[in-house]
Amino acid sequence: QFSLSAGQPTTQVTRVDVGVFAADDWRVRPNLTVSYGMRYENQTNIHDNTNFGPRASVAWNVGKPGPKNTPSKTVLRAAAGAFYGRVNQAVTLNAARFDGNTQQSFLILNPSFFPAIPSVASLSASKLPQQIQYVDSSMQAGHTYQMTAGVDRQLSKSARLSLTYINARGVHLSRSRNINAPLAGIFPFQDRQVRLLTESTGFSRQQSLTLTPSVNYKKWSIAGYYTFSQGKNDPEGQPADPYNLRAEWGPAGFADIHHRVLLQVTLPPIKKFQLSLSYQFSSAPPFNIVIGRDLNGDSVVSERPGLVPFSAANCTGSTLVYKPSYGCFDLNPVAGSAISRNWGRGVSSSNTPVALLTRSWTLGKKEKKSGPEEMVTVNAPGGTTVRVPASMVGGVASGNKRQYVLQFTIQAQNPFNHTTYTAPSGDLSSPFFGVFRTTGNGSTYNRRIDLQLRLNF
C-alpha cells in the first residue's frame, strides 16, 4: 500500500460541551444512607440530545454500634448508574479535513511506481482512489451502564479490608469501518474510494472483583489491591469483515487482563530517611493475530487466520504456516472458521514501578518565643494587603528567626531494571511474528532515577 496526503493543511471545527447534575443524600436511618442523582450531558458535534445519566447508591452500616455510638465495623455498599463518554472532536475534524476536497488522502494498492513518488497533480488527474472519512448522522456518545456492590470491614485498629464487584455494559461505542468494501467484487458506491464511516455501533461487557487491603501500624503503611477482571468488546481497531461486525466480539485489550496486583509499602524512617516501595504485577494481555494480507479488498490488513489441528510435520502447503506455541494456521480460512479477535496471549509482567527515598533537614536556630508570633504583611488579591502569621508565608517562624527546610529525594522508576514488554507482533506475514518489540513502559528508557533537592522557605 502507498498513501499520500495533501491539500489545505488548516481546518477548524468547534465543539461546545455541557454537563449539569443534581445529587442528594438521604440519611434514612443513622446507619443507612441513600444517595441519588441525575446528570445530563451534551455536545454540539453529535445530534443525540438524550444523554440523561441517573445514578443511585446505598451505604448500610450493619452490626451493632461500638462504644460511644461509634459506627460498626462492617459497611455494605451498592450502586448503579448510567455514564456517558465523549465523541472526540478529532472525529469531526477528520471528517472535515478528509472530505476528498479539503485534503486528499490517496491510497494505492500494489503501487508499480514505488520508490518514485508521484506528484499530487498526477494522482488527482489519474483519479486514483482516496480515503474519505465520514461521521454517521445518528452518532451517539458511548453509554456505560454500571453496577457495583461491595463490603468494607474494619479488621482491627490498624487493618481494613474492602471487596468490590463491578459489572459494566457498554453500548453505542465508537468504531470505524470501510462502508465501500467490495461485495462479491462490486463496490457499493460504484468507485474504489476507501470510505471510512465512524459510527456508534460497538458493544462491551466487563466484570471485575477487587480486594483492597490496607494496614497502618505505627509508622508502617501497607496498601494495594488485587483485581480479577474479564471483558469482551467488538470495536477495537478496524474489523476483519466490515459487513460482519459480530465476528469482532472477543477479549478486550485492557479489560481482559485477568489478574492485576499493586502493593505499596512505606517503611518507618531509618536515621530520618523515609523509604517507599511499590510492586506491580499484570497477567498476560491478549493480542490480535492477523494474516497480514488484504483478502477482501477493503484496504485493511485485519483478516484473521483459521486454526487447524495439524502437527508441525503435517502443517505444509502454501496456505498453512506453523508457529511454535500457537499451532498450525490456515491463511485462507473458509467463512466462519477464523480465530476470534485478540486470540493470542502475551506474557505476564512484574515490576517495581516507583521507589522513593526522602530526607529532610531543618535549617536555622530555634529560639523560644518571647511573645506572640511574628506578623508580616503580604499582598492579597485585588491589590490589598493583609497581616498574617509569619509561618504562613514560608519556613517556620521562631521568635525573630526563620527556619528553612531542605529536602532531598531520590525517585526511581523500575530501580531493579526489570524489563517488561507489551504484546508481541501478531502479523503472520512478518518475520517478527511473536517477537516482543516494545517495552511495557512505552518510553525510550527502562530504568530512570531522578534526584531532587528542594529548599522550602
Side-chain angles (χ1 to χ4, degrees):
Q1 294 184 353
F2 171 87
S3 64
L4 185 147
S5 298
Q8 173 64 30
T10 55
T11 310
Q12 178 176 301
V13 296
T14 301
R15 183 188 75 179
V16 178
D17 278 81
V18 61
V20 294
F21 70 93
D24 189 27
D25 293 333
W26 175 29
R27 194 170 185 182
V28 184
R29 298 174 59 184
N31 65 336
L32 179 64
T33 301
V34 177
S35 302
Y36 47 90
M38 175 72 74
R39 182 176 178 88
Y40 176 75
E41 299 180 2
N42 209 340
Q43 56 187 110
T44 55
N45 60 334
I46 60 175
H47 302 293
D48 178 29
N49 300 316
T50 60
N51 301 328
F52 291 94
R55 63 278 316 261
S57 65
V58 59
W60 182 25
N61 201 309
V62 299
K64 296 181 180 180
K68 297 182 180 180
N69 252 357
T70 57
S72 68
K73 296 181 179 181
T74 304
V75 178
L76 301 180
R77 304 181 189 276
F83 305 88
Y84 290 85
R86 281 290 187 263
V87 177
N88 197 298
Q89 63 188 20
V91 171
T92 313
L93 180 63
N94 286 335
R97 290 172 59 203
F98 298 108
D99 59 358
N101 296 311
T102 305
Q103 286 192 33
Q104 295 82 46
S105 179
F106 297 98
L107 182 66
I108 298 97
L109 303 180
N110 302 316
S112 59
F113 50 76
F114 193 81
I117 307 299
S119 65
V120 176
S122 65
L123 293 175
S124 299
S126 302
K127 296 184 178 181
L128 292 172
Q130 292 191 48
Q131 181 173 279
I132 304 175
Q133 300 193 30
Y134 305 90
V135 178
D136 189 5
S137 59
S138 59
M139 188 77 182
Q140 300 182 47
H143 307 7
T144 299
Y145 301 104
Q146 181 169 300
M147 182 274 290
T148 66
V151 56
D152 298 340
R153 174 68 179 177
Q154 187 77 38
L155 302 178
S156 67
K157 290 183 179 180
S158 57
R160 190 177 187 87
L161 187 66
S162 298
L163 185 66
T164 304
Y165 171 76
I166 299 176
N167 191 303
R169 176 175 177 262
V171 297
H172 300 298
L173 305 182
S174 177
R175 66 146 46 94
S176 175
R177 64 186 178 100
N178 181 9
I179 57 175
N180 196 36
L183 281 168
I186 299 175
F187 291 89
F189 287 82
Q190 306 301 315
D191 58 36
R192 301 182 66 87
Q193 311 282 32
V194 178
R195 301 176 183 269
L196 296 179
L197 176 69
T198 299
E199 57 187 0
S200 49
T201 58
F203 294 89
S204 71
R205 282 191 179 276
Q206 177 184 356
Q207 60 179 349
S208 65
L209 186 66
T210 300
L211 184 67
T212 308
S214 63
V215 177
N216 291 283
Y217 179 72
K218 294 184 178 179
K219 295 184 179 181
W220 286 80
S221 175
I222 302 175
Y225 65 83
Y226 163 76
T227 297
F228 173 79
S229 65
Q230 292 178 324
K232 289 188 174 183
N233 62 8
D234 60 12
E236 282 188 21
Q238 290 286 333
D241 181 354
Y243 302 116
N244 183 16
L245 300 180
R246 289 188 176 183
E248 296 304 300
W249 185 255
F254 177 80
D256 207 57
I257 299 177
H258 294 157
H259 306 282
R260 290 187 176 92
V261 175
L262 177 65
L263 181 64
Q264 297 176 317
V265 179
T266 300
L267 304 179
I270 302 175
K271 295 185 178 180
K272 297 185 179 181
F273 281 92
Q274 186 79 47
L275 178 64
S276 299
L277 295 171
S278 62
Y279 170 78
Q280 190 175 41
F281 169 84
S282 296
S283 60
F287 71 96
N288 202 23
I289 295 179
V290 297
I291 296 172
R293 292 185 290 120
D294 180 15
L295 301 181
N296 57 9
D298 66 349
S299 79
V300 179
V301 287
S302 56
E303 287 86 339
R304 296 183 292 272
L307 191 66
V308 292
F310 292 167
S311 63
N314 297 328
C315 188
T316 58
S318 59
T319 63
L320 298 178
V321 58
Y322 185 84
K323 296 293 183 180
S325 302
Y326 296 93
C328 183
F329 291 108
D330 183 1
L331 304 183
N332 191 24
V334 297
S337 66
I339 60 176
S340 66
R341 183 183 53 80
N342 280 348
W343 181 85
R345 284 280 168 178
V347 295
S348 60
S349 64
S350 60
N351 195 4
T352 303
V354 176
L356 286 173
L357 182 66
T358 60
R359 171 71 159 91
S360 297
W361 295 266
T362 301
L363 309 177
K365 293 183 178 180
K366 185 176 181 180
E367 298 178 356
K368 292 183 179 180
K369 295 181 180 180
S370 57
E373 183 177 353
E374 177 187 0
M375 303 293 289
V376 295
T377 301
V378 297
N379 294 325
T384 61
T385 59
V386 293
R387 299 277 291 175
V388 299
S391 59
M392 295 179 59
V393 296
V396 180
S398 179
N400 294 324
K401 297 288 185 178
R402 187 179 303 281
Q403 291 181 315
Y404 302 88
V405 177
L406 183 66
Q407 186 179 65
F408 175 65
T409 303
I410 301 177
Q411 177 173 309
Q413 299 183 37
N414 190 13
F416 302 110
N417 203 30
H418 179 74
T419 305
T420 59
Y421 299 96
T422 57
S425 170
D427 187 348
L428 286 169
S429 69
S430 168
F432 298 106
F433 175 83
V435 176
F436 299 91
R437 307 186 68 190
T438 55
T439 58
N441 63 8
S443 61
T444 56
Y445 60 85
N446 195 52
R447 173 171 56 191
R448 171 172 169 167
I449 300 176
D450 294 309
L451 307 180
Q452 182 186 79
L453 191 63
R454 176 171 177 166
L455 178 65
N456 298 326
F457 60 92

